[in-house]
Amino acid sequence: MCPESLPESLPESFSESEARTEIERLTQALHHHNYRYYALDDPEITDQEYDRLLRQLQELETRYPHLKSADSPSQRVGVEPLSSFAEVAHLQPMLSLDNAFSDDEVSDFDRRIRERLNWREPLAYVCEPKLDGVAVSLLYEQGVLVRGATRGDGRTGEDISANVRTIASIPLRLQGDSVPPLVEVRGEIYMSRAGFEALNNAARDSGEKSFVNPRNAAAGSLRQLDSRITAARPLAIFAYGVGFSEDWPLPAEHYLVLQQLRSWGFPVNPLVEVAEDIDGCFAYYQRLAQSRDSLDYDIDGIVYKVNDLALQKRLGFVARAPRWAIARKFPAQEMSTRLLDVEFQVGRTGAVTPVARLEPVFVGGVTVSNATLHNRDEIERLDVRIGDTVIVRRAGDVIPQIVKVVETERPADARPIVFPEHCPVCGSPVESVGGEAAMRCSGGLVCGAQRKQAIIHFASRKAMDIDGLGEKLIEQLVDAGLVHSVADLYSLESADLVGLERMAQKSADNVVSALEASKATTLARFLYALGIREVGEATAQALANHFITIEKLATASEEDLQQVADVGPVVAHFVREFFSAEDNLAIVRQLREQGVHWPDPVASDSGSAILKGQVWVLTGSLETMSRTEAKEKLQQLGAKVAGSVSAKTTCVVAAPGAGSKLNKATELGIEVLDEDGFVALLHEQGLL
Ligand code: JCF
């Protein structure tokens, strides 16, 4: 099992029996390491070492094809295409789930089954995220994967064995010594959001059709007759149950079935929990609804299952769904509605963005009446017309998107969308620059829209954070000719503001004080506020940490700039371009003359960056400061601040309301600081 004991390259002069032993040894080792990686999330060897073992096995199998085993870990690459999928019967039917759309419906479910069981005590339920993927049944004979099938109508499905064998997290051989002679394992195959994005980007780059959502991508990938295509798709599985089994002592609880699945080598969702009663189920729903957007896979709800298997058996089924389980659905993230019109908005960098005006529709928990159409290519790709019925998707905080046109519902008078040749705000020609998909207004700061957007960005919370200077006010200031560029803001007096819409003396004074207060800032915020193209929050922080003073940054060459982590040629070019323009330098100078200032940031490569090289994660909501402030302070101390907990995390700051990230940190044995501890650290470092 120990990889170090294997020679770098295999000797030429293997006898056949030595080859047989070696193949079996490598096969065992690879199965074992798959188990460590996918089921336990705790690998013992590096990816490189794993690849080396796999290459050695492949080399031997090429030399001795007849020694290749049926469950060889080398089959993940796929095989010759099929002409069709065979129909196969499940040994035990695959069930579907009844749905509940409110807590009341879940209460009814709990009451119903307790009545049926005559059960007066609270009932314990296993709670798990309901993945939006494709259900499969995997058949293992003597521990070896012999068949994979779709759910189909629940009784029979399609044989997709060749495809499921390519999915790395599906064990080809069950691990451990409690393996039944025959067992059907049920699970949900899904595509991670990250995998989906990568797949779609690659498809778009090569001019192929992209997928509407991760579920369609997973389903489409499993429906390939050529398993070599499936092999190239980022699919994964979470196992959630056992169908038919032979000679296997059924555990007493569903939760123990899941533990067994994990020890056989299946990934089981780490967010699965047992709730002691129905109130625990409600609490689980609240927590998961909160973290839904931060998961790396789509879920459409939660599954609650009676934990006690003897009780499950007594409850039995109705039609095709078990009485002992229910799916509590989240609000739908995709809905259909009508595209009423398309307007064109001009952004800070002049990009002209088509915005869809929609018949209002409730999706992802809010009413949506606008969606972005991104750019001209996107309109072409979707082939969308005004009047069309479209599918709108809103997942989390992201801007609602149109993902698809319902072609069958296109009205006869649907109108094509015409991209404007002139800026709708300033009338300057709209151009496409250097192969970009975006079309830009060529008016620059002549264009009122670009000026307004630049000022809105400058004043925004993560930039100069000027309280009370919102979009409406900025629009009025620009339209009234009071403000032409950000440099004019600090000359504003209350008298200029009084009399503008919704501006009484008091609010005007407040805006002037907020302007004054915003002058004390950080170099990172200031750089971000300038709105240099491609310089977001993180890049601004990295530039500030690296160059320490704006003078050094403003005179840095593109080569110097690329020394900064995460700064590539594109960002370097835009930064250099910005500081080469006399107008921009004048604005920076004026702002500083008017009193905008910052302390020298602590350079991340200086000795005082006590958290240099560390990765911190913030979770929960801090009571003493905003998340942005906490993040800035950690970055000033040299730490990287990540969004999720992994083995690379150094420390987690757990504020009140901390959820799954805290659990994960505890699971991984990562240091956790509470808010008091964190505040004390900042005090020690002179940051509070
Ligand atoms: O994650 C799922 N989509 C999922 C589907 C999870 C489960 O525990 C399920 C399921 C469908 C049927 N359990 C059953 C019985």
Side-chain angles (χ1 to χ4, degrees), residues 188-244:
E188 192 86 357
I189 291 180
Y190 67 96
M191 192 178 286
S192 72
R193 290 178 180 160
F196 168 75
E197 289 298 327
L199 180 67
N200 261 1
N201 288 341
R204 285 199 194 105
D205 286 350
S206 55
E208 286 162 48
K209 256 189 90 157
S210 54
F211 289 103
V212 166
N213 56 37
R215 193 180 62 81
N216 285 16
S221 302
L222 283 176
R223 229 183 287 114
Q224 297 292 329
L225 289 167
D226 186 346
S227 55
R228 292 167 299 192
I229 298 176
T230 313
R233 300 283 171 80
L235 296 171
I237 192 169
F238 278 127
Y240 61 68
V242 168
F244 181 84

Side-chain angles (χ1 to χ4, degrees), residues 503-548:
M503 266 294 140
Q505 187 64 47
K506 179 101 172 46
S507 352
D509 290 345
N510 286 346
V511 171
V512 173
S513 324
L515 276 162
E516 192 56 37
S518 75
K519 289 179 181 174
T521 186
T522 64
L523 177 56
R525 276 178 177 271
F526 184 69
L527 292 175
Y528 174 65
L530 290 174
I532 305 167
R533 274 190 61 193
E534 298 295 326
V535 176
E537 245 188 303
T539 307
Q541 183 71 55
L543 290 170
N545 288 350
H546 187 90
F547 289 100
I548 307 172

Side-chain angles (χ1 to χ4, degrees), residues 94-97 128-135 151 187-188 238-241 254 300 303 305 322 324-325:
M94 279 185 87
L95 304 167
S96 54
L97 295 167
E128 69 176 88
K130 182 169 181 296
L131 264 78
D132 208 0
V134 180
R151 199 180 89 88
E188 192 86 357
F238 278 127
Y240 61 68
H254 177 61
D300 59 355
V303 184
K305 292 180 177 171
W324 39 263

Side-chain angles (χ1 to χ4, degrees), residues 277-404:
D277 56 22
I278 203 69
D279 287 332
C281 294
F282 296 147
Y284 185 85
Y285 176 88
Q286 290 304 332
R287 261 183 291 136
L288 214 64
Q290 292 274 321
S291 52
R292 180 185 191 188
D293 301 333
S294 59
L295 299 176
D296 190 32
Y297 43 82
D298 282 359
I299 59 176
D300 59 355
I302 294 169
V303 184
Y304 301 125
K305 292 180 177 171
V306 171
N307 190 26
D308 186 320
L309 291 189
L311 295 182
Q312 277 194 10
K313 194 159 175 214
R314 278 175 56 196
L315 285 164
F317 313 88
V318 250
R320 278 153 58 207
R323 281 205 188 84
W324 39 263
I326 198 155
R328 167 70 156 103
K329 299 298 270 289
F330 287 133
Q333 288 184 321
E334 285 182 9
M335 291 295 278
S336 71
T337 187
R338 239 167 56 87
L339 175 61
L340 302 176
D341 199 2
V342 173
E343 286 170 19
F344 294 87
Q345 282 180 355
V346 184
R348 175 159 61 82
T349 60
V352 179
T353 308
V355 178
R357 303 285 177 226
L358 304 166
E359 200 155 292
V361 59
F362 191 72
V363 52
V366 300
T367 300
V368 165
S369 44
N370 300 310
T372 177
L373 277 164
H374 297 289
N375 52 46
R376 212 168 39 166
D377 292 359
E378 179 77 354
I379 292 174
E380 214 167 278
R381 189 180 71 79
L382 290 166
D383 183 26
V384 58
R385 309 197 190 157
I386 294 164
D388 268 339
T389 296
V390 294
I391 308 284
V392 177
R393 177 179 172 85
R394 179 186 178 272
D397 292 336
V398 293
I399 305 166
Q401 321 259 335
I402 291 181
V403 291
K404 196 169 139 66

Side-chain angles (χ1 to χ4, degrees), residues 173-185:
R173 188 192 287 184
L174 301 181
Q175 299 295 292
D177 36 44
S178 57
V179 173
L182 195 62
V183 63
E184 281 179 324
V185 173

